Structure formats: structure tokens, C-alpha cells
Amino acid sequence: MSSEELDREQKFITLLYERLDALREQADGSVRSALSQVVGGRQDRLERDITVTEQSGRLATLDAVESGLCFGRIDLRDGEHHHIGRIGIPDEDLGHTPMLIDWRAPVARPFYLATGHTPMGLRRRRHLTTRDRRVTALHDEILDLDEADAAHRTGYEDPNGDAVLLAAVNATRTGRMADIVRTIQAEQDHIIRASHRGVLVVEGGPGTGKTAVALHRAAYLLYAHREQLARRAVLIVGPNPAFLGYIGNVLPSLGETGVLLATLGELFPGVRATGTDTPEAAAVKGDARMAGVLARVVADRQRLPDPVIGIEHDRETLYLDHEAAALARAHARDTGLPHNPARPHFAARVLDILTEQLADRIGADPLGGPNLLDASDVGQLRKELNGNAGVHAAIESLWPYLTPQRLVAEFLERPTHLPPADAALIRRGAADPTGLTDRTEWTPADVPLLDEAAELLGEDDGAARAAAEAERRERIAYAQGVLDLSLGSRTTDFDEEDESEVLAAHDIIDAERFAERQEEADHRSAAERAAADRTWAFGHIVVDEAQELSAMAWRLLMRRCPTRSMTLVGDPAQTGSATGSDSWEQILGPYVQDRWRHTRLRVNYRTPAEIMETAARVRRDTDPSFEPPRSVRSTGVEPWTLTAPPEALVRTAAEAAARESRAPGRLAVIAPAELHAELAAALPGASSGPDPDLTRDVVLLDPRQSKGLEFDSVIVVAPERIRTGSPRGVNDLYVALTRATQRLGLIGFGSPHQVSPTNNR
């Protein structure tokens, strides 16, 4: 490495961080200044809050990109050069001219795509390695073949361009996913920068970086379509809380802090889906037929009298019979509205029927002439009936107001419109009979049912709209009073002619506009507002482990993205859930037919060839033609196996984990869920449970929890039980075997040849 070149880069990095600190100080100063202001009216508070929100967000971004701020440089043939980093930073002396180029900018793209055969105008590509704010290494690739001998003279060239990539894939894991912004490969770059329109499916085997690519794609789309996506927000859907914790630092490190990360169980506001279903129950709930079942359940709640309902009013008894209620129900259904918004139409027709019945009795002419009541009399009768509690009780019994939670909880208590065997699988305890409190322990498989119920029920917001209108009128009246006061306080030091030239508040703004300006703004980010709004339409959705989602889950997600701007990431060979799918056509056909794009990542950057071959043999047992992604490296370390009788399985695993944990990096023990209680007791330092701490040295997981994660070492316990534990157990075992970046061990009570590793301990 040339010390002169290193010093030159160090000087630039020092200046760059000085500029970063200056920007941070400016943002922090703006926040402190805004908070210290004496605030008067609502408009003052609005301006202050906007400043605080914007500058606090800016501070969060600047803090998040601190580490590894600049990681590359491209030297053009014309003598210019650009430094590439996580965000763009303007030069203080040159206005908005970039001192640092954002990695997503078009001018930065040759850093990822240029080769010696296609240099894209570059003479040299430089990778900078930094620690804190110090440059620790430079790796140069000379792309101008006419200067090949120059690379030799530098003493720090990297002709293959692989040193930085291999350093990244060999680095010890931290329990958190690192971004790949320094090492994006050409096939990955094409996916990251692909059009945001329509559905893009990114398929790739273990270790191909599909999750990292999807996250960088989200960051790129937010950069390229900032106005649209920042307003509508981007949703990242992950398979479990542990996975979301694992990827949680990636987007902030790329300067994007406004993205919503959620599991499927978190996509119904107000519900925390912490319960668990049996695989069989989840399969029933996830089946597409549940949409029709719930529609019939809602229709069942639109009842008819059997045979009649009597309603006391004054000294009269009115009757609502089957035929009259059927007419009212048909009228409400003909509106095409969901259940709750259609309810007022049903109620209005019932009131009409009862009013007519009462008017016929009271206003009947004894001599057989026309009714003695006029329209105003009939209107008064209707008003009185509308205040009758018995009338409203009858309406509630025939067409009740329903919440999604109440409907689904009562359905799960008494499943209808299902075969008895399926009903038995999903039946659970009694729901709250009032429907006012949510005592149900919801499961992730319930959330799509709740969402479907919400669509079928709708929201009768008539009362809320009336209250909002009343509040608006009150604000206008108050604003008019303020304006009138300003008019009354107009100075009298002018003569009549001069006074006509003086503008008062009421001359430039009317009461309604003035009232609107006083409304409190919603200062939450788009992601925060989206998390609280079930009907929010996202600008783009990224779904990881997309092959695992049920048909009902896809109905929920498609409602969240009417534009169908989506990136789906997954691998059908890793499908483990009974509700999952083995083909993208099956998932997407009902929504976009064949109007979707498919791309495949074929290079494995995580898993050494020795481990990948062991895992591939497992898959070839059921699919002889299976070909895994090609590993970029070989460590020379073969997977090892141990056999133990069932009664010694946990003890043997604990002893092996103690030995393995002495090696550098993090260790995952992956075992069937039924062994976790014993293993957790035998591994006192291990983190386990539904949301384990992945930064701990030892983590205990089941195969489904391990999806998308990676560890330096992995011990798979009872692989034969994983294989036979579910209809897709082979896929679960394949997932477990491909989580390691360095070392893999298997401990079982069957023959080690069941998983075919070659090194027995």
C-alpha cells in the first residue's frame, strides 16, 4: 500500500467527517432553536414542530451513516474522480456540488458495474476500508487495460477485485445483518435499480444475498422516487420478530430511517398476534376458501325474525315480521356497501315500516276515508320511534354492528361453513360476549382473517363524520370571533379615507381558512401513520421469505398495495410452512396473472462449498435434479457429525456447543421446538424464545426461526427429526444446514449418512 495514497485519502476522509459534523451541528442547532422559541398560537407551534421533525430526522440519518461513510472512489479517464458513500454530502465551498456521491446516484453506478472489458469510462476503482474515522486499507482495480503495468507499480492493486468481497463474507458475524453497499455485485445491482413498477420476484438459494438486495432496492427506490415513496411509505414484511431485529440496522445505515418493518402478525392495528397455531390450524386459516367462509359468516349475522318481533311503543305493540325484515335486508344489501355502512340503510327501512304501521293505526279514518295524518304528523311519529330503545334493540338483534375482532373471535369459538374436521382444528375458547374488549390471544394466522373481516364489515363512520363536522363549525365560529375582534380593535387614529387603505385580518383571510390554519398537523412520519392505519396504501412493499405466506396473507398484502409495486424475495426450495407455496405462479396468478418479472440470484456468498454440498445432498433425496447456488469460496473444513442415543442427545449437544463456542464468532444451535426446553436448560448462556437476542454468543433456534439468518458456526440437533417432523421437513432441514458461514456440525441418534456429511467426530 502506498503511504502517499493512503495519506491523501486520509486527508479527504478527515475533511468529509468535518463536513458531516458541521451538518450535524446545523441540524442540532435548528432543533434546539425551535424548541427554545416562545410559542404563541397554533400556527407558531405548527412551524416549530415541523422544524423539529425535519431536523431530528436529518440528525438520525447523519448519525446512522457515521460508520463507513465513504467506501469507494472512481477515477475517470478524463482525470476527474468521485468519492462514493452512503449518502450524498454537499461541498461547503461549492454549494450543492457533491463532496461525496450517494451510492444510488447514476454517476456512482460504474463503481458496481465496470470491468476491464467494459470500463464504463473508468480508469481505476478504489475500495476504501475505514475503522472509525481512519483509513485502514486501500484496494485498487485498474480498469484501463492500457495502464496494466501501472497497477503493478502501485503495490496495492487487486486485479481480481475480490479482496473486499471475500473479506466481507469471511468476517465474523455480529448478530445483525450488515449492508453490502461496498460489495454490490453486477447481478445484484441490476435488481436493485430495476423499475419499481409491477411485481419483481427475486429468487435465490441460501446465501445469495437476496434479502440484502431487497433492502438495498428499497433504499434505492426511496432515493429515485423520493417524493412518491416518502409520502406513501415503504413496507418491509419479514417472517418473524427475530428476523426483523436482524435486518433492522441495514436501511438506517444507508440513510433511510422512515421505512416500516413488520411481520404479518403486526399488520392489523390494535392487535398483537403473539399466540401460536398448530401447523394444521394455520393451514386451515390460511386457505383461500376462508374469504368465502367469512363472507357467509357475515351474511349469517344479517338475520330475520323467527317469526316476528314485538316492539312496545306507548300503548301500542308494533310487529316486525319475517317478510317486512326481509324487504329491509334486501334494500340494505342492494346498496353494495359492507355490513356496517349498510346497517343505517337497514335501520332506516325498518323505521319506515314501523312508522307506516303505527300511522295506519293512529290515523285510520273510522269511516274508511284516507289517513287522517299529514306528512308532518308521520315525520313526528318516525322521530319518536327513532328514540325508542326497543326499536334499536330489534335492529341490533337483526343487523348488529360488528368489529372484526368480535366477528372472528365468535367465529373461532363456533366455526361454521367448514367441514367438521377443519372446524375442530381451529376452534378455541369463548370470546368476550360484549365484543367491547379483546381477550383473544391472536395468532399470526388470525391477522389475515381479521383483515378480511374488516373489509367485509367496513366502518360506519357517520357518527365520527358528524362529530368532526361539528368540531369544524365550532373552530370556524371561534375564528370568526377572532376576526371580528380584530375588526373592532382597528385603530381610530386614521381619518375615514386613510382607514379604508388599512388591511385588517379579515381582509386577507376568511374565517374558514383561518380555522383550517389552526388545526394541529399530524407530525408522524408516513411509516408511523401507515402502521396505525389498516387502509393505508403503501408506495412499495418488500416481502422476504415470500414463499411462506398463505393465500389469505396475500389477500391482505395486495390490499395494502393497490398499485402492485412489490418486490418478493424467496426460495421455493426453502418453503417450510404448510400454508406456503411451491410456485410463484400460484401466488401471483390471482392478482396479476402473468404480468410479473422473475430474476434469479445464482451465486452463494455465505455458505462454503463443503457445507453447501452437504445441504444439497439432503434436497437431492427428494429432487435428484436439484442444483444449489454456486459458492464463491471453499474453507477446506468439512461438516462434522456425532451420534448419540436419545437419552444423551441434549447432553451431547451441550458439550459440543461448549467446544464450538470457543471458536471465533457466533454459534446457533438449531433443533426441533420440542427439544428447546431441555436444550435451554443445558445451554444457560444461550438466548432463546420467540424473539431471541441474536447478538448473544450462543442462540437456540428452531428451523423456521433461523430463516434468513447467518452465524459463524451452526450445530443442528436431531436432523432426522427435523426431516420427518412436517410434510416439508426436508426443506426445513435444508434451511438449518445452510445458516453457517464457517463451521457446521450435526448431532443425532440416527445414521450420520442420513445427511451425508463426511467428517465424523
Side-chain angles (χ1 to χ4, degrees):
M1 179 190 300
S2 164
S3 59
E4 182 180 346
E5 288 286 340
L6 189 64
D7 289 344
R8 186 179 294 116
E9 293 295 355
Q10 182 60 61
K11 289 178 181 178
F12 172 79
I13 293 296
T14 300
L15 290 174
L16 183 63
Y17 275 105
E18 288 176 358
R19 178 65 177 139
L20 181 75
D21 290 339
L23 292 172
R24 184 185 284 119
E25 187 175 346
Q26 290 173 11
D28 184 59
S30 296
V31 171
R32 286 186 280 106
S33 175
L35 290 175
S36 67
Q37 290 177 1
V38 177
V39 178
R42 289 184 177 183
Q43 187 66 23
D44 294 331
R45 294 201 301 274
L46 172 62
E47 293 172 357
R48 179 201 64 184
D49 291 349
I50 289 175
T51 298
V52 171
T53 299
E54 290 179 346
Q55 296 304 318
S56 295
R58 180 67 174 158
L59 269 174
T61 297
L62 295 173
D63 290 341
V65 300
E66 163 86 21
S67 179
L69 176 62
C70 176
F71 53 80
R73 168 175 157 168
I74 50 176
D75 293 2
L76 282 64
R77 287 182 174 179
D78 62 10
E80 287 191 36
H81 70 270
H82 303 293
H83 282 86
I84 313 299
R86 297 176 180 278
I87 61 171
I89 293 184
D91 191 308
E92 185 177 19
D93 298 325
L94 299 176
H96 290 290
T97 301
M99 183 178 186
L100 183 68
I101 300 291
D102 193 302
W103 67 276
R104 298 165 287 189
V107 71
R109 199 170 191 194
F111 181 79
Y112 300 108
L113 298 184
T115 67
H117 295 290
T118 310
M120 301 178 70
L122 300 191
R123 182 180 64 83
R124 177 175 64 180
R125 170 171 48 216
R126 169 170 289 173
H127 298 269
L128 286 78
T129 302
T130 60
R131 177 174 297 173
D132 297 325
R133 298 187 172 194
R134 300 292 303 173
V135 179
T136 59
L138 304 176
H139 293 85
D140 279 8
E141 299 171 71
I142 303 302
L143 300 173
D144 187 340
L145 300 182
D146 294 335
E147 300 184 17
D149 62 325
H152 176 71
R153 293 196 302 271
T154 63
Y156 55 87
E157 75 278 14
D158 174 23
N160 297 319
D162 289 338
V164 175
L165 174 64
L166 291 176
V169 298
N170 281 309
T172 300
R173 269 40 194 176
T174 65
R176 293 287 181 263
M177 176 181 277
D179 63 69
I180 59 168
V181 67
R182 300 175 64 231
T183 58
I184 294 171
Q185 303 300 293
E187 68 168 357
Q188 298 171 330
D189 183 83
H190 288 299
I191 296 171
I192 289 169
R193 298 175 192 260
S195 170
H196 73 292
R197 299 185 184 279
V199 177
L200 174 65
V201 173
V202 182
E203 183 176 332
T208 54
K210 54 188 180 295
T211 297
V213 167
L215 295 172
H216 287 67
R217 174 167 166 74
Y220 171 76
L221 293 178
L222 281 162
Y223 172 86
H225 308 281
R226 175 73 61 190
E227 183 176 350
Q228 174 187 351
L229 295 184
R231 183 175 68 253
R232 299 308 312 163
V234 172
L235 170 66
I236 311 288
V237 180
N240 54 59
F243 176 84
L244 293 184
Y246 177 64
I247 68 171
N249 293 335
V250 174
L251 284 166
S253 76
L254 300 174
E256 299 298 342
T257 57
V259 175
L260 177 62
L261 277 67
T263 64
L264 184 70
E266 297 169 324
L267 290 180
F268 194 89
V271 165
R272 287 181 55 83
T274 57
T276 57
D277 278 309
T278 64
E280 296 79 11
V284 173
K285 293 178 180 180
D287 195 289
R289 64 182 165 152
M290 291 302 298
V293 168
L294 288 175
R296 291 192 288 276
V297 170
V298 172
D300 288 346
R301 302 304 300 272
Q302 299 163 3
R303 303 185 181 104
L304 298 175
D306 184 22
V308 68
I309 296 176
I311 302 168
E312 298 296 327
H313 183 72
D314 289 340
R315 291 182 295 276
E316 299 285 343
T317 300
L318 305 177
Y319 296 99
L320 184 62
D321 61 21
H322 186 282
E323 182 179 359
L327 290 173
R329 183 174 73 174
H331 169 72
R333 288 179 173 177
D334 286 346
T335 65
L337 295 171
H339 175 87
N340 288 328
R343 185 178 187 268
H345 295 270
F346 174 79
R349 184 54 62 93
V350 167
L351 272 172
D352 289 342
I353 292 169
L354 295 176
T355 301
E356 183 179 355
Q357 187 181 139
L358 183 59
D360 286 344
R361 293 187 191 178
I362 295 176
D365 185 347
L367 301 178
N371 195 294
L372 299 177
L373 301 179
D374 60 21
S376 63
D377 295 328
V378 173
Q380 182 61 34
L381 291 178
R382 193 180 194 280
K383 183 176 181 180
E384 292 172 1
L385 283 170
N386 193 32
N388 186 316
V391 172
H392 289 284
I395 292 171
E396 178 66 20
S397 68
L398 299 178
W399 196 296
Y401 179 83
L402 296 170
T403 66
Q405 290 93 324
R406 176 181 171 185
L407 181 80
V408 174
E410 291 179 352
F411 166 70
L412 294 176
E413 180 187 349
R414 293 182 299 274
T416 56
H417 304 291
L418 284 173
D422 289 344
L425 288 171
I426 67 172
R427 184 176 291 111
R428 64 173 58 151
D432 173 21
T434 68
L436 299 178
T437 61
D438 187 0
R439 299 191 316 216
T440 305
E441 186 180 17
W442 300 107
T443 71
D446 292 331
V447 168
L449 302 185
L450 290 166
D451 197 73
E452 190 73 29
E455 288 292 306
L456 294 166
L457 296 175
E459 186 69 35
D460 180 11
D461 60 352
R465 284 188 286 107
E469 177 62 19
E471 183 181 352
R472 188 181 75 88
R473 292 186 178 280
E474 184 179 342
R475 284 198 306 270
I476 292 173
Y478 175 80
Q480 186 64 58
V482 173
L483 294 176
D484 291 344
L485 183 62
S486 71
L487 176 61
S489 63
R490 184 186 293 189
T491 179
T492 58
D493 293 337
F494 300 98
D495 60 34
E496 187 174 337
E497 182 177 349
D498 290 336
E499 187 176 352
S500 66
E501 301 300 321
V502 177
L503 290 177
H506 75 282
D507 294 311
I508 58 176
I509 186 170
D510 61 26
E512 186 168 359
R513 290 175 59 201
F514 186 66
E516 289 174 355
R517 290 189 179 185
Q518 309 313 307
E519 292 184 40
E520 293 288 352
D522 187 345
H523 301 300
R524 294 175 300 170
S525 69
E528 291 169 329
R529 285 181 282 127
D533 184 354
R534 190 197 68 81
T535 63
W536 188 275
F538 288 92
H540 192 81
I541 293 181
V542 176
V543 185
D544 207 307
E545 301 294 346
Q547 76 281 351
E548 299 292 340
L549 270 60
S550 70
M552 290 300 294
W554 283 113
R555 288 177 65 87
L556 179 155
L557 289 177
M558 292 297 173
R559 279 193 284 267
R560 297 293 197 278
C561 192
T563 62
R564 304 293 191 260
S565 176
M566 308 176 84
T567 302
L568 311 184
V569 179
D571 178 15
Q574 298 183 64
T575 303
S577 170
T579 65
S581 175
D582 294 320
S583 80
W584 301 113
E585 291 82 1
Q586 181 183 353
I587 291 171
L588 295 171
Y591 305 102
V592 294
Q593 289 77 51
D594 60 352
R595 299 187 303 276
W596 52 279
R597 295 163 289 154
H598 179 271
T599 186
R600 186 186 299 271
L601 295 169
R602 301 180 183 276
V603 179
N604 185 336
Y605 300 98
R606 175 211 301 149
T607 317
E610 295 83 358
I611 295 176
M612 201 63 224
E613 180 54 33
T614 295
R617 283 196 286 266
V618 169
R619 289 287 295 129
R620 290 187 186 119
D621 286 348
T622 56
D623 181 7
S625 64
F626 175 78
E627 285 299 325
R630 176 180 59 84
S631 296
V632 299
R633 64 196 175 103
S634 173
T635 61
V637 179
E638 295 288 343
W640 54 264
T641 64
L642 287 173
T643 57
E647 63 274 12
L649 188 64
V650 170
R651 176 175 53 80
T652 303
E655 293 170 352
R659 291 192 300 270
E660 197 66 47
S661 62
R662 290 194 287 268
R666 282 168 173 74
L667 165 67
V669 177
I670 303 177
E674 60 267 23
L675 294 178
H676 277 211
E678 291 182 74
L679 282 168
L683 300 168
S687 179
S688 60
D691 188 11
D693 181 0
L694 300 178
T695 65
R696 297 276 286 274
D697 290 339
V698 181
V699 182
L700 175 60
L701 305 167
D702 66 44
R704 304 283 174 84
Q705 285 180 298
S706 73
K707 279 182 177 292
L709 308 182
E710 59 184 17
F711 304 89
D712 300 277
S713 302
V714 170
I715 296 175
V716 179
V717 181
E720 59 278 4
R721 190 178 296 184
I722 295 174
R723 180 203 291 269
T724 60
S726 71
R728 287 177 164 145
V730 170
N731 292 359
D732 287 339
L733 181 55
Y734 177 65
V735 169
L737 295 174
T738 54
R739 300 304 97 194
T741 66
Q742 302 293 338
R743 299 169 297 279
L744 171 67
L746 300 100
I747 300 175
F749 45 76
S751 166
H753 299 292
Q754 287 184 309
V755 288
S756 307
T758 57
N759 178 26
N760 292 345
R761 284 192 173 183

